[in-house]
Amino acid sequence: MVKKKLSNVIKARKKAAQKRPAPTTPRRSKNNLSLYSNLAHKRKTKKDQEARKRAEYLASLPKNPFLRALYRLHPKRFWGYWFSKRGFFMMLKITGVTILVIAIGVFALFAYFRRELDAISPGQLARRVQTTVSRYYDRNGILLWEDRGIGNYRIVVEHDEIAEVMRQAIIAVEDRDFFNHRGVSPMALVRAFLNNLQSEDVQGGSTLTQQLVKQVFMYDEAHHRGGFEGYLRKIREIILAIEIERMYSKEQILTLYLNESPFGGRRNGVESAARTYFGISASELNLPQAALLAAIPNNPAVLDPYNVPNNHLLIARQHRVLDDMVIAGFITRDEAEEAKAYPILDTIRPESDQFEGVKAPHFVLEVRRQLEEEFGIRTIRQGGLTIYTTLDWGVQYIAQAAVYHGSHRLHIIGADNIAHVSIDNDTGQVLSMVGSVDFHRPGFGANNAATSPLEPGSAIKSIVGYAGLFEQRQGINFGPGSNLRDENIDHIYCRGAPAPCTVQNATRQTFGDISIRNSLAMSLNRPAVLATYIVGIDESLRIARELGAHSYCMDNPHPGLAMAIGGGCAVTPADLTNAYASLARNGVYKPQAFVLEVTNSDGEVLKAWEDTPGVQVINPQAAFLVTDILADRAARSRMFANPEGFTIPGVWTATKTGTTDNGRGQAKDSWMMTYSATISSGVWAGVHDGGPLTRDGHAVVAGVTAYFMEHVHHRILGPSGRWYQGQQIPRPEGIQHISLGGVTDLWPSWMNQNNTGVSRISMVFDSISRRKATECTPDSARVEVEVMRFIDPVTNEERFVADGWYPDEYEDIHICGDTAAPSASISINSSFVVVAASPGASHRPLRNYTVTLNGTVIGTGTFGTTTLTFVHGLTSGDSYTITVRLTDSLGHESTTSISGTL
């Protein structure tokens, strides 16, 4: 039963399945298989037929490859192929492949040169075409020099700073279609080709834009005109020209071109050419001038106006420019002919060197040297810098006039050169610099003596030795009133030096005990050496260099005490002047400054001066004490009677002179260092090659100093408010005006009776010899004198100073036991007293007498005769007492008296 039911279910399911729709996947039929088979068969049949025809064609050709090639090139067969269907499709294939290859090549070239496209982007190309001239200005914006370097140079100007006629001239002759093309002009290429066939005057087919590319990017590759490199350069040129045209306006491109193009010699850019050849700016060019300049870039080496043998070619080219301007419609034929008739070559300025018109040449060249040292020669020489210097042209003008004034005195001392430097005391800025009597003087004029190492002689004394001597120290301290004995000090000066060796004062005089004030003011050598000896050579040298005399003794690694008086060591006048400016700042050092600001062609500030508080090298009081001595006219008058240079009308100044010796007793130069409260001045005069002077003296440097200091204060510094009449350097706090050791002077605050090393004691002297008395000195010749006692700073021995007395020596003119004395006889009559004097037993000359009548002196003096007569004025009956006191030449004394009634 169950099996039957199961069988029925299975049958029912089969019937249901038969009623369902057929599957969606189509079944292949015999017709479909036949269609695919027919298509494949047809293709195979066609290929077989083409292969059979190809084989039959090849079988009909000659077997020899050469003959086969000739057979194919038969015109009938050749043209038959290319005008056939097969040839047409082959042509399409070749054309397509060629276009594809070219496109890939152009893309590859653009990709290769893409690295240079950034260089021609807006702003970048203009940076390549920039002024290569560096301009130096004074502090007030006065142009001192345009440094064009030693190579080609360029002065860039804006579009509106170029005359329109100049723009028209260059377009007419170089690229008449300039405003119509987009960087490359096929018409220009064709026109150049036809022109070159018909004329010897070769004309290029490059546009102005292409020429700009060549000048800026391919100057060093321009000689590659053929071969692969030449084609590659040309492609690169075209690509960059197209890109420039896309990025820049026509006006910008034309301006860049005119600023970049070579115009003969070292001159690049139309502005450089206009200034050089005509002495005007590019905006002032007229038609003949513009046409002449437009002619030059075609062949600048040949058409350089200074290339006189080829001037006829230049004029021919100028006429060509004028004709092209007529064709372009810029000018009329009459204007062109008038311009041709103009004698343009007669207006060309003479060729000159790079220093033409330079103001303060020694100064600006020193500035350039310093900038090259700081930034590198390449950076500075490539130009495009704007340099504002510290120089004040008004001050410089007066300095130059002062040197010119002094040059007329050079014959007095047999010199031939002068240098001068001035420095602003407050800032250390150099306000003027004159390096020689004439920058253009053959042989040595261009050499800058102001920055040359020279032996300073006594001009260094204030800086070396004395500046450090007044500093506070342990033990004995010094001030202007302290004593430094002027005596023979060869035992310390010549220590270790080969004979002969000695140190003396310039006058060969010896002044003995003398104050520091007087010894420095009189410029004595031996006290200056002692000052350096006390301070120490190394310490004195350190102070001098830190005050500003950096170059002092750099040429002598082992200086001796001679450095105290400027011997064996050199310093530049500029450095020494700044050291004196440090004294004017009461011991504060500030570096010399020559530059206020340096900017590059992009306006970027490369260097800017900033004031600093400076460095306090020595105590302000010590510096001021040196200044006070150098300003002391009374102290210096003992040695320098002529006030020229030392005394400036209405101007307080401190001054130190110097003279150097050539080692053979001959002076070789002269110095004068002077400073006021505002400005410091240093003047040097001598022979440019170091030869001796014919006469010692300060006539030249004094004249220069006097002229400069008077005029710069009254004409520049006063009116500008930087100085007022009578202005002095302020006295630092602590300076004392007191008496120490019996000397009244200025003393630093740390000086007192205990650290001067000086005390006052009494000594008995012989009044005759003025030396110390002995037991043999008679009482009549003894005198008590107060003397100054001090410890010698060199020997540490006890020393004594008494003005006019000799405390280190004993008298030897008296003999013990010698009591012989002069005698006198006295007589009186109605009118006269008569005295008869006699030397007595000693037979020594009589020296003095004194006669009194009733206690009143009626006669005194020295003996001229032994019989003395005096009117007594008594009347009859008057009483009298007459006393006569006699002294002989050794001070022995006798007294004789008589009394009575007349």
Side-chain angles (χ1 to χ4, degrees), residues 5 9 45 50 76 117 135 143 187 197 218 257 341 420 538 580 583 639 675 711 771 868:
K5 286 182 179 180
V9 170
T45 301
E50 290 177 350
K76 181 179 179 181
L117 295 183
R135 293 186 176 92
L143 180 64
M187 290 300 298
L197 288 178
M218 306 181 194
Y257 176 85
H420 176 264
D538 292 342
Y580 275 90
L583 287 182
M639 184 68 69
Y675 54 98
H711 286 81
R771 287 166 173 77
L868 307 172

Side-chain angles (χ1 to χ4, degrees), residues 634-656:
R636 83 165 69 97
S637 63
R638 296 176 60 183
M639 184 68 69
F640 302 100
N642 185 357
E644 185 179 32
F646 293 100
T647 304
I648 310 298
V651 183
W652 175 93
T653 58
T655 301
K656 184 70 190 78

Side-chain angles (χ1 to χ4, degrees), residues 346-658:
D346 294 342
T347 66
I348 299 293
R349 301 177 69 203
E351 188 172 15
S352 59
D353 63 24
Q354 61 175 323
F355 298 115
E356 182 194 19
V358 61
K359 294 181 175 70
H362 294 103
F363 175 84
V364 294
L365 289 179
E366 173 63 17
V367 171
R368 184 175 73 171
R369 184 196 67 77
Q370 291 184 12
L371 292 177
E372 288 176 351
E373 190 174 275
E374 182 175 355
F375 296 102
I377 293 178
R378 183 174 181 180
T379 299
I380 302 305
R381 294 292 174 91
Q382 72 183 7
L385 303 178
T386 300
I387 301 107
Y388 282 92
T389 69
T390 61
L391 185 129
D392 186 314
W393 176 242
V395 177
Q396 176 71 17
Y397 185 83
I398 291 174
Q400 292 177 176
V403 170
Y404 176 77
H405 172 78
S407 68
H408 295 295
R409 294 184 173 188
L410 286 171
H411 66 280
I412 297 175
I413 62 173
D416 64 4
N417 203 15
I418 302 173
H420 176 264
V421 181
S422 73
I423 293 178
D424 178 72
N425 291 342
D426 289 338
T427 61
Q429 295 174 0
V430 178
L431 299 179
S432 67
M433 176 177 286
V434 182
S436 70
V437 290
D438 182 0
F439 181 77
H440 299 286
R441 178 73 61 88
F444 66 89
N447 297 332
N448 191 350
T451 57
S452 299
L454 301 166
E455 290 188 9
S458 296
I460 200 68
K461 290 176 181 175
S462 311
I463 308 300
V464 171
Y466 288 115
L469 186 65
F470 293 149
E471 289 276 75
Q472 186 174 13
R473 58 171 46 82
Q474 292 293 326
I476 299 175
N477 285 258
F478 296 86
S482 300
N483 181 81
L484 284 181
R485 186 173 177 81
D486 177 24
E487 61 185 356
N488 189 310
I489 56 170
D490 289 349
H491 62 288
I492 64 170
Y493 181 80
C494 300
R495 188 177 299 165
C501 171
T502 186
V503 57
Q504 298 186 39
N505 296 318
T507 61
R508 300 301 189 265
Q509 293 175 279
T510 298
F511 293 87
D513 293 307
I514 187 169
S515 69
I516 291 176
R517 177 176 294 278
N518 288 329
S519 61
L520 175 56
M522 296 167 63
S523 196
L524 303 184
N525 287 336
R526 289 183 290 206
V529 171
L530 288 176
T532 300
Y533 179 81
I534 295 168
V535 176
I537 291 177
D538 292 342
E539 178 66 6
S540 295
L541 190 57
R542 179 194 68 79
I543 291 173
R545 288 176 176 171
E546 291 187 5
L547 283 173
H550 304 301
S551 55
Y552 190 53
C553 284
M554 285 299 185
D555 56 332
N556 186 351
H558 304 291
L561 283 172
M563 62 166 266
I565 53 178
C569 287
V571 66
T572 68
D575 279 358
L576 188 54
T577 303
N578 197 38
Y580 275 90
S582 295
L583 287 182
R585 291 186 287 266
N586 280 334
V588 174
Y589 164 76
K590 288 189 176 184
Q592 292 179 62
F594 286 77
V595 174
L596 295 178
E597 184 180 80
V598 179
T599 57
N600 61 18
S601 54
D602 294 326
E604 178 185 3
V605 177
L606 304 182
K607 179 183 178 72
W609 177 83
E610 293 182 1
D611 198 6
T612 64
V615 178
Q616 190 75 54
V617 178
I618 58 176
N619 190 286
Q621 297 181 54
F624 180 82
L625 292 175
V626 174
T627 294
D628 187 70
I629 295 173
L630 298 183
D632 190 338
R633 298 179 184 177
R636 83 165 69 97
S637 63
R638 296 176 60 183
M639 184 68 69
F640 302 100
N642 185 357
E644 185 179 32
F646 293 100
T647 304
I648 310 298
V651 183
W652 175 93
T653 58
T655 301
K656 184 70 190 78
T657 57

Side-chain angles (χ1 to χ4, degrees), residues 39-56:
L39 290 175
H41 178 70
K42 285 182 179 180
R43 283 198 300 268
K44 184 175 183 304
T45 301
K46 184 176 181 181
K47 290 182 70 174
D48 289 343
Q49 290 176 350
E50 290 177 350
R52 186 165 49 255
K53 288 181 179 179
R54 176 72 176 170
E56 291 174 354

Side-chain angles (χ1 to χ4, degrees), residues 658-708:
T659 302
T660 56
D661 189 285
N662 65 359
R664 296 183 294 276
Q666 297 172 298
K668 65 177 182 178
D669 56 15
S670 173
W671 297 69
M672 181 170 276
M673 314 303 297
T674 304
Y675 54 98
S676 69
T678 305
I679 193 172
S680 295
S681 163
V683 185
W684 168 90
V687 182
H688 74 277
D689 60 1
L693 304 177
T694 58
R695 179 182 174 185
D696 184 9
H698 301 301
V700 175
V701 293
V704 173
T705 299
Y707 185 100
F708 175 79

Side-chain angles (χ1 to χ4, degrees), residues 94-110:
I94 293 174
T95 301
V97 171
T98 302
I99 292 173
L100 180 61
V101 170
I102 291 174
I104 293 173
V106 171
F107 177 79
L109 286 173
F110 267 88

